[in-house]
């Protein structure tokens, strides 16, 4: 009996340090997850107003929430491990399971949206650019379109001819412009009055191709981070169950 208790105690100590090391890494992983979510929302959110679906935004918010909960859970896991409190271990396991589900959901959403992105952009981007650009109440769209065309060196949804159907261009408020000034290779006031290839960007595929590639790259990052951290959590749940069982055997 004494030999059994000695082995159980030794196993418990090993599991405690293993779980503690895991929680330190897990806390850092939570920080990384939250950073990816915040990075997407803060630095890459300009183009969200050009998307009809809220899926891209939802995946970023899920990562921020999951990352914050991961960091809190990591601290809780350390406390539960060294205090050897089985009720804290139970709570820790439940939080791990919730985070696991959140990150799997974020990964699945990112993958699903990745598949439908091309269709959504083809159906909505042209209308968004021509009907909302420089229209009252749509300043966010105007800024996003200008930044999109300048950053990716493109003009129009499919090509520069798309701007002929723009409500802003046809309204007369454009000041003789045939395309926005942000289409120009060198932006100066009124440069959009001339749409020659020497003056504006004429890229095959237009801004749709550029924006699609940009968002797909970020969806791959979001999906990989979500699913990757979720897989790591499986080990955390296994370690927790083993430690809980070991503490239960020692108690009896």
């Amino acid at each position: 009996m004494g030999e059994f208790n000695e082995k159980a105690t030794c196993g418990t100590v090993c599991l405690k340090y293993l779980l503690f090391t895991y929680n330190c890494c897990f806390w850092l992983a939570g920080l990384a997850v939250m950073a990816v979510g915040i990075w997407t929302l803060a630095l890459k959110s300009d183009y969200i107003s050009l998307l009809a679906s809220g899926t891209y935004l939802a995946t970023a918010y899920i990562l921020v929430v999951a990352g914050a909960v991961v960091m809190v859970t990591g601290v809780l896991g350390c406390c539960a491990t060294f205090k050897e409190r089985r009720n804290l271990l139970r709570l820790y396991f439940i939080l791990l399971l919730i985070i696991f589900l959140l990150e799997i959901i974020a990964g699945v959403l990112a993958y699903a949206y990745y598949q439908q992105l091309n269709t959504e952009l083809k159906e909505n981007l042209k209308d968004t650019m021509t009907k909302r650009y420089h229209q009252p109440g749509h300043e966010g769209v105007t800024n996003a379109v200008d930044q999109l065309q300048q950053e990716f060196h493109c003009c129009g949804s499919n090509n520069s001819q798309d701007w002929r159907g723009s409500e802003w261009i046809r309204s007369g408020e454009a000041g003789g412009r045939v395309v926005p000034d942000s289409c120009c290779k060198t932006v100066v006031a009124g440069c959009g009055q001339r749409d020659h290839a020497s003056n504006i960007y004429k890229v095959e595929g237009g801004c749709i191709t550029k924006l699609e590639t940009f968002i797909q790259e970020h969806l791959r990052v979001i999906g990989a981070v979500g699913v990757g951290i979720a897989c790591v959590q499986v080990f955390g749940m296994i370690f927790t169950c083993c430690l809980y069982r070991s503490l239960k055997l020692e108690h009896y």
Side-chain angles (χ1 to χ4, degrees):
M1 186 70 179
E3 184 180 350
F4 174 78
N5 286 334
E6 185 179 340
K7 288 182 178 178
T9 303
C10 181
T12 301
V13 171
C14 290
L15 281 170
K16 281 172 60 177
Y17 282 101
L18 187 61
L19 194 56
F20 177 78
T21 303
Y22 170 83
N23 277 304
C24 291
C25 297
F26 191 51
W27 189 88
L28 292 174
L31 184 62
V33 169
M34 188 165 65
V36 169
I38 292 173
W39 169 71
T40 302
L41 292 172
L43 300 179
K44 305 298 176 182
S45 62
D46 297 321
Y47 304 132
I48 290 175
S49 60
L50 302 178
L51 303 175
S53 170
T55 308
Y56 181 66
L57 188 62
T59 55
Y61 275 122
I62 288 174
L63 283 186
V64 172
V65 172
V69 177
V70 163
M71 294 176 72
V72 173
T73 304
V75 174
L76 176 64
C78 291
C79 294
T81 300
F82 280 98
K83 289 189 176 182
E84 298 185 0
R85 299 283 295 275
R86 285 183 296 159
N87 58 338
L88 284 179
L89 282 173
R90 280 195 296 267
L91 177 60
Y92 176 66
F93 180 86
I94 291 169
L95 287 174
L96 279 180
L97 185 59
I98 291 171
I99 298 164
F100 175 81
L101 294 174
L102 279 175
E103 289 173 343
I104 287 294
I105 289 170
V108 170
L109 283 175
Y111 177 78
Y113 191 54
Y114 183 94
Q115 300 299 315
Q116 71 180 48
L117 181 61
N118 180 266
T119 302
E120 178 184 314
L121 289 177
K122 284 182 178 178
E123 290 177 353
N124 299 291
L125 186 59
K126 182 177 179 180
D127 281 347
T128 298
M129 293 175 76
T130 57
K131 293 180 180 179
R132 298 183 184 178
Y133 185 80
H134 260 302
Q135 299 302 305
H138 295 293
E139 290 77 12
V141 171
T142 301
N143 293 333
V145 169
D146 285 338
Q147 183 174 337
L148 174 68
Q149 295 189 141
Q150 275 295 296
E151 183 174 347
F152 294 112
H153 298 172
C154 58
C155 183
S157 177
N158 298 291
N159 53 61
S160 60
Q161 301 301 313
D162 291 339
W163 285 110
R164 293 183 177 181
S166 167
E167 293 185 5
W168 176 64
I169 295 292
R170 292 188 298 178
S171 69
E173 296 178 5
R177 295 175 178 84
V178 290
V179 294
D181 291 343
S182 56
C183 281
C184 299
K185 295 177 180 179
T186 302
V187 178
V188 293
C191 65
Q193 294 175 354
R194 193 168 67 92
D195 62 354
H196 191 270
S198 62
N199 184 50
I200 68 170
Y201 296 111
K202 287 184 178 285
V203 181
E204 186 177 349
C207 292
I208 279 185
T209 305
K210 300 284 189 177
L211 183 58
E212 181 183 5
T213 302
F214 171 82
I215 294 176
Q216 283 180 339
E217 287 174 355
H218 287 83
L219 286 174
R220 280 196 289 268
V221 172
I222 291 173
V225 168
V227 174
I229 298 299
C231 291
V232 171
Q233 286 174 235
V234 173
F235 293 100
M237 288 188 278
I238 293 171
F239 295 153
T240 304
C241 289
C242 291
L243 180 59
Y244 182 87
R245 183 174 179 276
S246 180
L247 290 174
K248 189 175 181 179
L249 287 174
E250 286 186 3
H251 180 73
Y252 289 111

